[in-house]
């Protein structure tokens, strides 16, 4: 009987398991049957809703100083005067940032209007009077530019809104409240930008699909979408350069006169440049970074769509949209991982701050691996053909696994570069501590060692990039390189969260100093900011690495487009770098990043000189400003006006150089010259960007490491000669890491995407040989 009952039980168990397996399989199949539109639209809506929810949580924190209590051990002052002062500072920073962005975007709107006419006319003529392609490319350019401006403006608003609330949260006991406030501020920016970018790009594709309804025309559709990346990158150029000049002019001026000459603390309310300095953090580090990474996302996606448009023949619309699907999946992964920092492992001590931020990057990278594999198997056909970039009638037969590996190589490569960047810029490791020791013998040795550190930090990231390029290209040709760039940016929401977190904490510390809160509040925000500096350097590493791959992918798309336009008469066997004109412009392209860095560095220097003179003038005319408790306030508006006017004036020449160099090269010298120009610019930009960003980050953290030291230690601490030497290094490093270095990302991307957009125009002039016809 037992045997019979056991047999019956076993049969029932097998039946139940088969039933469950069948239903799970059915559910999986239904998930697989979800269209790309459902996944992409769902992800963008989810991202925007999550950003709004984070904003609501932050908004519940009132702008009201919390006093000292024996029961709660809260830090600060609970009097109305302190609360009033907090509101005054908040409003001053908000008004300064608002007025600058309004002025900057007025210039940007004028540029968009004029350049839209140029795009329409040149593409209309270059494509043989193809009105549809000309108008669609122009519209996508305008849409990309507007989306980039909205992204930057949104980031500024959220950062300013959250800065003072982070200061107030730092008055509370423990670390959880202040960390979560700054982290959620970053999340608003990160998820809102990703949701907005995905929604706008995919909506444009769907709108253009109404006209290009046949799959054979989808290559034209993807070519029209390249205007979206051009619009985003153009605004990013002005945002990065203009915001960078603004923030560093104020920062350098405040540091030189305040800390070095008069020995007053950073962000001291007696310093006339301190409000401008805090405004700059929002318009440069937040709005500029947001526009920059939005441009990277748009360009990487557009490059992958152009190169992989032939996938539509075997896999249809959903397979062609795989690059956008990866970004959509990344939103869900980043959202899940954000709970690690705020709920699963909340920050309860100073030493947990940096590890919490690093855990975000590591966790999202690890979770992206199975997520991308699932998405590739769901939306790519079992095998699909892709035309090779080089060779006549050469096709790659690819599988979802090949695409998955390309994305994973990019994601893991980005994480490695980020961690290497941390090693060279964090004072937890040997390089920065050695840099701090070099300050014992003065500013000169500090400068020498810092520059050497930056050069040395280039080696490993470049080797990693080389491995990623080789591996992804071997698997999927140029499509693999584009997917690797998408992989770098697959956890963009998390990367932006961490990037915005740093400036928010920096501003929170400045507000605490200006409001004259308890010194313990400033110590807490400084600890948060120190971790933010390191993770910001990691974010810059991600941005530079992704920019290199995006630029290479856009170059591949440019070569493919010229080859198709010429019916394989040009670039059939690739670009011959030994062709005289190509090699000549290869050298010229290598010069462009140095010319750009020189222009932006000089702009910061000129604006900083004017700022120094204004600050010193106020100290000379109002000597009581330097008293311990001055009876009058400095003229903050004069310094804000200097930074605003200088940045608006100085951002135009470097931006014009980057935009018009490839355009004029293609028109007058042809596509071979453009190819050399793009390759030379890419190679030089990536090296210079890494070295400048890491030198600046290391100088900054070496200064902070010295400031943590006690007066009786080897480094002597704040106010010592060693500290003054470190401040000089930090001051020089400011434009390195926050103006010229990060803006070089946009140099290589913008030149490449502009060449891609105008590829047909270049070919239409003497068969791609230019007006001078030198080839």
């Amino acid at each position: 009987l037992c045997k019979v009952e056991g047999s019956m039980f076993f049969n029932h168990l097998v039946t139940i398991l088969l039933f469950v397996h069948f239903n799970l399989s059915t559910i999986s199949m239904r998930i697989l049957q979800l269209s790309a539109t459902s996944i992409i639209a769902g992800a963008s809506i989810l991202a925007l809703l999550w950003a709004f929810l984070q904003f609501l949580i932050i908004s519940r924190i009132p702008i009201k100083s919390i006093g000292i209590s024996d029961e709660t051990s809260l830090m600060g002052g609970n009097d109305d005067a302190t609360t009033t002062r907090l509101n005054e500072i908040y409003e001053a920073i908000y008004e300064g940032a608002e007025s600058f962005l309004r002025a900057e975007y007025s210039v940007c709107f004028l540029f968009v209007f004029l350049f839209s006419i140029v795009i329409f006319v040149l593409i209309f003529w270059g494509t043989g009077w193809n009105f549809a392609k000309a108008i669609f490319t122009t519209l996508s350019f305008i849409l990309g530019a507007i989306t980039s401006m909205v992204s930057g403006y949104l980031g500024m608003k959220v950062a300013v809104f959250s800065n003072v609330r982070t200061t107030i949260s730092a008055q509370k006991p423990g670390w959880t409240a202040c960390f979560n406030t700054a982290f959620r501020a970053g999340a608003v920016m990160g998820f809102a930008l990703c949701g907005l970018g995905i929604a706008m790009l995919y909506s444009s594709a769907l709108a253009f699909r109404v006209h290009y309804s046949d799959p054979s025309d989808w290559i034209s559709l993807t070519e029209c979408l390249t205007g979206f990346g051009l619009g985003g990158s153009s605004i990013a150029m002005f945002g990065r350069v203009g915001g960078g000049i603004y923030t560093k002019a104020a920062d350098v001026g405040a540091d030189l006169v305040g800390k070095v000459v008069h020995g007053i603390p950073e962000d001291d309310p007696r310093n006339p440049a301190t409000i401008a300095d805090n405004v700059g953090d929002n318009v440069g580090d937040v709005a500029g970074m947001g526009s920059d990474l939005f441009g990277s996302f748009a360009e990487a996606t557009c490059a992958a769509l152009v190169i992989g448009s032939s996938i539509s023949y075997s896999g249809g619309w959903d397979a062609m949209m795989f690059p956008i699907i990866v970004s959509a999946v990344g939103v869900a992964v980043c959202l899940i991982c954000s709970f690690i920092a705020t709920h699963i492992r909340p920050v309860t001590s100073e030493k947990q701050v940096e590890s919490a931020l690093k855990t975000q990057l590591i966790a999202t990278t690890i979770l992206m691996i199975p997520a991308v594999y699932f998405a590739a198997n769901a939306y790519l056909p079992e095998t699909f053909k892709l035309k090779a970039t080089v060779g006549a009638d050469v096709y790659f037969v690819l599988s979802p696994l090949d695409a998955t590996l390309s994305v994973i190589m990019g994601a893991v490569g980005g994480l490695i570069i980020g961690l290497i960047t941390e090693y060279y810029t964090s004072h937890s490791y040997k390089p920065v501590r050695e840099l701090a020791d070099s300050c014992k013998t003065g500013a000169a040795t500090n400068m020498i060692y810092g520059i050497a550190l930056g050069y040395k930090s280039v080696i490993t990231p470049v080797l990693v990039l080389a491995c990623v390029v080789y591996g992804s290209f071997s698997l999927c040709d140029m499509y693999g390189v584009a997917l690797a760039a998408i992989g770098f940016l697959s956890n963009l929401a998390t990367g932006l969260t961490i990037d915005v977190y740093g400036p928010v904490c920096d501003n929170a510390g400045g507000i605490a100093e200006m409001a004259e809160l308890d010194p313990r509040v400033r110590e807490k925000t400084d600890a948060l900011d120190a971790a933010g500096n390191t993770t910001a350097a990691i974010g810059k590493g991600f941005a530079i690495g992704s920019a290199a791959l995006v630029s290479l992918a856009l170059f591949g798309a440019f070569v493919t487009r010229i080859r198709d336009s010429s019916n394989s008469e040009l670039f059939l066997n690739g670009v011959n770098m030994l062709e005289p004109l190509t090699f000549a412009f290869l050298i010229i392209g290598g010069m462009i990043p140095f010319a750009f860095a020189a222009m932006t560095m000089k702009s910061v220097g000129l604006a900083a000189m004017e700022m120094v003179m204004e600050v010193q003038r106020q100290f000379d005319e109002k000597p009581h400003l330097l008293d311990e408790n001055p009876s009058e306030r400095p003229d903050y508006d004069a310094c804000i006006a200097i930074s605003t006017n200088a940045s608006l004036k100085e951002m135009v020449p470097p931006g014009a150089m980057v935009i018009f160099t490839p355009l004029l090269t293609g028109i007058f010298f042809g596509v071979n010259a453009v190819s050399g120009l793009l390759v030379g610019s890419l190679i030089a930009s990536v090296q210079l960007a890494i070295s400048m960003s890491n030198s600046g980050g290391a100088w900054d953290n070496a200064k902070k490491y010295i400031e943590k030291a006690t007066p009786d230690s080897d480094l002597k601490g704040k106010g010592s000669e060693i500290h003054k030497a470190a401040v000089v290094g930090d001051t020089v490093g400011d434009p390195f890491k926050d103006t010229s270095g990060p803006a070089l990302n946009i140099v290589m991307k913008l030149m490449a995407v502009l060449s891609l957009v105008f590829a047909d125009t270049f070919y239409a002039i003497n068969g791609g040989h230019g007006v001078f016809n030198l080839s």
Side-chain angles (χ1 to χ4, degrees), residues 39-372:
I39 294 291
I40 295 168
S44 60
I45 293 170
L46 178 66
L48 292 172
L49 288 176
W50 183 251
F52 182 66
L53 176 61
Q54 301 304 300
F55 177 77
L56 288 180
I57 294 173
I58 296 169
S59 66
R60 292 174 61 187
I61 303 171
I63 304 178
K64 184 177 181 182
S65 180
I66 304 170
I68 300 176
S69 167
D70 293 334
E71 288 80 14
T72 60
S73 299
L74 300 180
M75 299 177 290
N78 61 350
D79 56 343
D80 292 337
T82 304
T83 299
T84 302
R85 181 68 181 142
L86 284 171
N87 277 282
E88 288 175 354
I89 296 166
Y90 163 67
E91 289 171 4
I93 294 173
Y94 174 81
E95 289 170 5
E98 179 85 12
S99 64
F100 170 73
L101 284 186
R102 194 183 301 117
E104 182 184 52
Y105 286 168
S106 297
V107 176
C108 290
F109 273 117
L110 178 62
F111 164 78
V112 169
F113 173 75
L114 295 176
F115 204 65
S116 295
I117 298 172
V118 173
I119 291 173
F120 178 80
V121 171
L122 290 181
I123 293 180
F124 188 40
W125 174 78
T127 55
W129 314 111
N130 188 331
F131 179 81
K133 183 173 282 190
I135 194 66
F136 287 159
T137 304
T138 304
L139 288 174
S140 63
F141 167 76
I142 295 171
L143 188 60
I146 291 173
T147 307
S148 183
M149 283 189 274
V150 170
S151 299
Y153 184 75
L154 176 68
M156 181 278 294
K157 296 276 280 190
V158 171
V160 174
F161 185 81
S162 306
N163 296 336
V164 68
R165 288 168 171 82
T166 302
T167 305
I168 292 166
S169 298
Q171 292 180 286
K172 299 176 182 178
W175 293 80
T176 306
C178 52
F179 174 85
N180 284 357
T181 303
F183 185 82
R184 287 191 170 106
V188 175
M189 173 67 168
F191 285 93
L193 185 144
C194 289
L196 192 64
I198 291 171
M200 290 299 177
L201 181 57
Y202 192 65
S203 297
S204 301
L206 290 177
F208 296 165
R209 189 182 174 186
V210 174
H211 178 78
Y212 296 111
S213 56
D214 191 278
S216 61
D217 294 330
W218 286 351
I219 176 62
S220 297
L221 184 153
T222 60
E223 289 172 353
C224 292
L225 284 176
T226 56
F228 190 83
L230 176 59
S233 221
S234 299
I235 300 304
M237 169 61 71
F238 291 116
R240 260 301 190 191
V241 174
I245 293 171
Y246 185 108
T247 181
K248 292 304 115 182
D251 198 358
V252 170
D255 283 354
L256 284 179
V257 183
K259 288 194 287 188
V260 176
V261 177
H262 295 287
I264 59 177
E266 188 173 4
D267 295 314
D268 192 291
R270 295 171 290 175
N271 194 325
T274 189
I275 291 288
D277 185 12
N278 283 278
V279 169
D281 290 336
N282 297 287
V283 299
D285 296 343
V286 177
M289 171 63 84
S291 296
D292 181 3
L293 289 178
F294 166 76
S296 290
F297 157 76
E299 290 157 333
T301 307
C302 291
L305 290 174
V306 170
I307 297 170
S309 58
S310 60
I311 296 172
S312 61
Y313 294 119
S314 55
W317 177 262
D318 287 2
M320 190 177 78
M321 291 293 122
F322 176 68
I324 305 181
I325 291 171
V326 172
S327 299
V329 170
V331 167
V333 169
C334 292
L335 193 154
I336 293 169
C337 290
S338 67
F339 284 100
I340 298 174
T342 56
H343 291 81
I344 298 173
R345 291 181 58 194
V347 172
T348 57
S349 64
E350 179 181 349
K351 64 180 181 181
Q352 291 180 332
V353 175
E354 191 171 325
S355 62
L357 296 172
K358 279 199 298 183
T359 300
Q360 287 292 300
L361 293 173
I362 296 169
T364 50
T365 302
I366 292 172
L367 279 184
M368 278 303 298
I369 295 173
V372 170

Side-chain angles (χ1 to χ4, degrees), residues 408-420:
I408 291 171
M409 276 191 278
V412 174
L415 179 62
I416 294 172
I417 290 176
L419 295 177
I420 292 296

Side-chain angles (χ1 to χ4, degrees), residues 300-561:
T301 307
C302 291
L305 290 174
V306 170
I307 297 170
S309 58
S310 60
I311 296 172
S312 61
Y313 294 119
S314 55
W317 177 262
D318 287 2
M320 190 177 78
M321 291 293 122
F322 176 68
I324 305 181
I325 291 171
V326 172
S327 299
V329 170
V331 167
V333 169
C334 292
L335 193 154
I336 293 169
C337 290
S338 67
F339 284 100
I340 298 174
T342 56
H343 291 81
I344 298 173
R345 291 181 58 194
V347 172
T348 57
S349 64
E350 179 181 349
K351 64 180 181 181
Q352 291 180 332
V353 175
E354 191 171 325
S355 62
L357 296 172
K358 279 199 298 183
T359 300
Q360 287 292 300
L361 293 173
I362 296 169
T364 50
T365 302
I366 292 172
L367 279 184
M368 278 303 298
I369 295 173
V372 170
Y373 177 77
F374 179 83
N377 281 282
Y379 293 100
L380 292 175
E382 292 185 6
T383 57
F384 55 95
K385 283 187 176 181
L386 193 70
K387 190 174 182 179
T389 307
V390 177
D393 298 322
V394 178
Y395 287 87
F396 281 84
V397 179
L398 307 177
S399 68
L401 181 61
D402 295 326
T404 301
L405 290 175
S406 295
V407 176
I408 291 171
M409 276 191 278
V412 174
L415 179 62
I416 294 172
I417 290 176
L419 295 177
I420 292 296
T421 303
E422 181 204 15
Y423 174 75
Y424 280 103
T425 57
S426 172
H427 57 58
S428 300
Y429 302 102
K430 185 179 178 181
V432 172
R433 295 190 176 191
E434 288 182 345
L435 182 61
D437 284 335
S438 71
C439 296
K440 294 176 181 178
T441 51
T445 48
N446 181 29
M447 299 299 305
I448 294 168
Y449 197 99
I451 293 171
L453 183 150
Y455 291 159
K456 189 176 180 181
S457 70
V458 172
I459 298 171
T460 306
V462 166
L463 292 176
V464 171
L465 279 173
C467 292
V468 171
V469 169
Y470 179 80
S472 58
F473 193 95
S474 299
L475 284 172
C476 300
D477 201 70
M478 266 301 174
Y479 185 62
V481 177
L483 289 181
I486 298 283
F488 258 83
L489 299 166
S490 58
N491 55 357
L492 177 59
T494 294
L496 266 172
T497 298
I498 293 172
D499 282 331
V500 175
Y501 161 91
V504 167
C505 293
D506 191 6
N507 254 208
I511 292 170
E513 187 77 36
M514 285 185 284
E516 299 175 347
L517 298 181
D518 189 285
R520 289 173 291 175
V521 178
R522 181 60 195 254
E523 289 171 8
K524 189 182 290 188
T525 57
D526 279 351
L528 294 174
D529 182 35
N533 277 341
T534 300
T535 51
I538 294 174
K540 289 184 178 81
F542 267 95
I544 295 167
S546 66
L549 292 180
V550 167
S551 180
L552 181 57
L554 289 168
F555 174 65
F558 169 76
V559 170
T560 301
R561 193 163 173 181

Side-chain angles (χ1 to χ4, degrees), residues 670-719:
V671 295
N672 285 317
V674 172
S675 299
L677 186 78
L678 296 182
V679 174
S681 172
L682 166 61
I683 293 172
S685 292
V686 68
Q687 324 270 350
L688 190 59
I690 294 173
S691 65
M692 292 185 79
S693 295
N694 289 349
S695 286
W699 275 319
D700 190 359
N701 277 330
K703 180 202 70 174
K704 282 185 167 56
Y705 183 65
I706 291 171
E707 289 175 344
K708 290 175 64 177
T710 57
D712 56 349
S713 64
D714 287 343
L715 297 176
K716 305 301 181 184
K718 276 188 179 182

